[in-house]
Amino acid sequence: MLMLVVLCSSLINSACIPETFQDILQESRESESVKTDQNKQKAKAPETDTKKLENAQLKQISVGKYAYEHLDEAGRVVYDEMLAAILNHEEKIRLSTTDLDLMRHAYTAVCGDYGGLFWVEGYVFTRYTKGEELVSLEFAPKYTMSAEERKTIQSQIDEIVDAWLSGISINDTDYDKVKYVYELLALNTEYVQDAADSQNIISVFIKRQTVCQGYACAVQYLLGQLGIQSVIVSGVALGEPHAWNLICIEGEYYYMDATWGNNGYRNGEGLETSFIDYNYMTMTTEEMQMGHMPNSEIDLPECNAVRNNYYIKEGNYIEEWDSERIGNILSEAWLQRRVVTLRFSDDSLKKQAFRYFIEEGYIVDYCSGIAEINYIEDDMWREISFCFN
């Protein structure tokens, strides 16, 4: 079953107008709450040498981040300012821009690049004008906890993440790292629509219950620990607001939706059994668009690579009829009592396999002692899943 959650945002307005002798300096205060786990940066007040050094260091940690690299120079400056403010837990800063669209675009980019900012929930900005002229913007992150509480929770998350990633090495292949994280989240996190802290990684690592935004943030956070570039993508899936990821494997881009990785079926006795659905681990743009539609907030590449597609990589992609090869795949899965999914290059091959192994019953030649066949057909993906678990 696929489950989606609506992400909400709110906008609050207030205003105050201090007066000077001749000019009226207008201050309008507006808040934008983004119910996601995201990253922000710090705005520039007049810089001291120390602040210049801090900003230079922040630029280095963001270099290579996908959304950051797709901003223009002015956007990167504001991105760096917002991020510094949030990392330093600053109450508010003056931005180096007065362009509201640039501010919002930079903030969205920060949110896409950073999945670990669990202590922030949106921001408030204040506009200062002289007459009709907008003269400055003030950025104030909306913190959900104190700096001390943040430190305590970060320690808890670090301990859990270290344990979770103990089964994979930074020296493993990019594909193995991506597969490990995808399976890790499917096996350790439950989709719960009303989960607490569901818009950030607290829900994943500490509470083990989350929604799509929590999954996407956790993917970005975990892959980042393993040196894999990724970014959070927002849009709609099956008509509802949704979040997933763009990831980079050996220089090639793919889409990943960890939310949809945890699937389930009912066997002949009506019992619900879960399994990992690998369709959404390394999708092309064409495959992603079968169920997802990203918004235009972040420039996204055309993903055409298939070299690291799960079915191709694992040898479960069938391009020609070979009953012995298919039978051996089924035999191994039967012995291990697990679900195995075969994807076929065309419908005729899928029909031939269905007829041979299921209708004509030749699966018994490879799965000794099998009494019944639990299977799932997926015409959209041209797949048959044999559920031996």
Side-chain angles (χ1 to χ4, degrees), residues 7 27 57 64 81 124 165 168 194 269 271 287 295 327 371:
L7 306 179
E27 175 184 326
Q57 292 170 338
E81 293 170 347
V124 174
L165 295 182
I168 193 75
D194 297 322
E269 298 174 353
L271 300 175
E287 291 169 340
N295 58 35

Side-chain angles (χ1 to χ4, degrees), residues 128 130 154 191 198:
Y128 294 92
K130 284 188 177 181
Q154 185 67 65
Y191 185 101
S198 63

Side-chain angles (χ1 to χ4, degrees), residues 30 32 40-47 51 55 74-86 90-107 110 123-128 134-141:
E30 305 179 45
E32 295 190 348
K40 340 297 173 192
Q41 299 165 294
K42 160 179 177 177
K44 292 180 182 176
E47 286 191 349
K51 287 192 174 183
N55 285 343
R76 292 179 188 179
V77 170
V78 176
Y79 176 114
D80 288 328
E81 293 170 347
M82 290 177 171
L83 181 56
I86 290 172
E90 295 188 44
E91 181 182 350
K92 58 187 176 182
I93 57 169
R94 290 291 175 93
L95 296 175
S96 60
T97 185
T98 57
D99 187 329
L100 288 172
D101 289 335
L102 176 62
M103 176 191 70
R104 291 173 178 133
H105 192 53
Y107 180 80
V110 174
Y123 64 93
V124 174
F125 69 90
T126 304
R127 298 184 293 180
Y128 294 92
L134 178 59
V135 295
S136 68
L137 279 175
E138 186 178 81
F139 172 81

Side-chain angles (χ1 to χ4, degrees), residues 265 273-276 278 310 333 336-341 376 385-389:
Y265 69 94
T273 303
S274 64
F275 70 98
I276 299 174
Y278 292 97
Y310 169 81
Q336 296 174 359
R337 294 298 191 269
R338 61 180 174 84
V339 175
V340 63
T341 300
I376 303 168
S385 295
F386 294 83
C387 306
F388 298 136
N389 61 337

Side-chain angles (χ1 to χ4, degrees), residues 18-45:
E19 295 188 10
T20 64
F21 180 65
Q22 289 182 331
D23 299 319
I24 296 179
L25 180 63
Q26 295 180 326
E27 175 184 326
S28 63
R29 187 174 179 82
E30 305 179 45
S31 83
E32 295 190 348
S33 296
V34 182
K35 297 293 185 181
T36 61
D37 177 56
Q38 299 161 340
N39 225 343
K40 340 297 173 192
Q41 299 165 294
K42 160 179 177 177
K44 292 180 182 176

